[in-house]
């Protein structure tokens, strides 16, 4: 028998709720990208009952496929980047791989609600391209996926070993080393 687990979603949610003290319930959440990372985080995010969860992808058909797969779990819909015009979001998750090449998806700053948290699943040394874009276009807060990486690893460790490691010192050390 084969058993598979995906700890990305649990790790992201843990980073958002516990480390960043963000709220998902009742919030309007926009996910950019429709690849493997988005597929992994949709279920845990919908479990937290956002008011709305929208997936926008450069190739729209991939976003529509995901909404059909997850429609039973909550209010998820897909939109093209153009169709986002006029909407506002409390939490924007960049789950594209654009930051890895220093690029930012084609977005309007008008999408950011006051208080908007812009979270890039990508991480690196210093703020990612998306974090820099969001910070200079009115985001109240920005964060990289470093916390998600650490928390998903802790979730995996717990599955294998039955113990959840304390992630706070790991996070502090990596933050210091990557952002100094
Ligand atoms: N922090 C963590 O623990 C963690 C865990 C998993 C993933 N990640 C990060 O999440 C990101 C996505 O990973 P993935 O596995 O989902 O990758 P993936 O399956 O290859 O999907 C990539 C996605 O990014 C979009 N994209 C790529 N370049 C773009 C650009 N220049 N402008 C707009 N959209 C672009 C693609 O759109 P198309 O469909 O149109 O090609 C696709 O939706 C990566 O940065 C990865 O490092 C982080």
């Amino acid at each position: 028998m084969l058993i598979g687990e995906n700890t990305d979603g649990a790790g992201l949610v843990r980073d958002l709720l516990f480390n960043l003290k963000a709220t998902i319930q009742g919030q309007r959440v926009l996910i950019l990208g429709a690849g493997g990372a988005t597929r992994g985080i949709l279920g845990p995010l919908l479990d937290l009952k956002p008011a709305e969860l929208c997936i926008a992808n450069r190739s729209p058909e991939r976003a529509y496929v995901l909404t059909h797969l997850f429609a039973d779990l909550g209010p998820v819909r897909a939109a093209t980047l153009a169709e986002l015009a006029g909407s506002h979001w409390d939490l924007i998750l960049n789950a594209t791989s654009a930051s890895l090449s220093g690029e930012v998806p084609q977005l309007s700053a008008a999408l950011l609600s006051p208080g908007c948290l812009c979270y890039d699943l990508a991480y690196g040394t210093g703020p990612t391209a998306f974090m820099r874009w969001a910070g200079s276009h009115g985001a109240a807060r920005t964060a990289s996926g470093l916390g998600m990486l650490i928390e998903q690893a802790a979730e995996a460790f717990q599955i294998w070993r039955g113990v959840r490691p304390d992630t706070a010192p790991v996070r502090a050390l990596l933050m210091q080393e990557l952002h100094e």
Side-chain angles (χ1 to χ4, degrees), residues 3 16 24 27 32 36 43 48-50 58 63 85 87 96-97 119-121 130 137 140 155 158 162 177:
I3 298 175
L16 287 169
I24 307 293
Q27 301 291 291
L32 305 170
L48 293 171
K49 307 205 178 312
R58 183 177 60 179
S87 62
T96 75
S97 47
Y119 187 108
D120 198 343
L121 272 65
F130 176 69
H137 287 83
E155 294 289 331
Q158 182 168 35
E177 297 220 343

Side-chain angles (χ1 to χ4, degrees), residues 8 10 14-15 31 96 98-99 110-111 119 145 161 164-165:
D8 278 354
R14 178 106 187 165
D15 193 34
I31 301 179
T96 75
S99 283
L111 298 175
Y119 187 108
R161 307 298 295 267
R164 195 175 202 286

Side-chain angles (χ1 to χ4, degrees), residues 53-90:
L53 196 159
C54 181
I55 308 168
N57 193 45
R58 183 177 60 179
S59 310
E61 61 281 0
R62 297 184 73 191
Y64 287 108
V65 168
L66 287 182
T67 59
H68 286 129
L69 285 174
F70 287 85
D72 289 348
L73 299 185
V76 58
R77 69 177 173 97
T80 63
L81 290 171
E83 286 167 346
L84 292 176
S87 62
H88 307 282
W89 305 92
D90 304 306

Side-chain angles (χ1 to χ4, degrees), residues 6-9 11-12 15 32-41 55-63 66 81 94-106 119-123 144-153:
N6 183 330
T7 56
D8 278 354
L12 170 68
D15 193 34
L32 305 170
T38 296
R39 186 180 285 244
I41 63 178
I55 308 168
N57 193 45
R58 183 177 60 179
S59 310
E61 61 281 0
R62 297 184 73 191
L66 287 182
L81 290 171
N94 180 25
T96 75
S97 47
S99 283
L100 300 180
S101 50
E103 297 171 49
V104 179
Q106 294 290 316
Y119 187 108
D120 198 343
L121 272 65
Y123 47 86
S144 82
L146 183 65
M148 172 182 171
L149 176 74
I150 296 164
E151 298 298 343
Q152 67 78 27

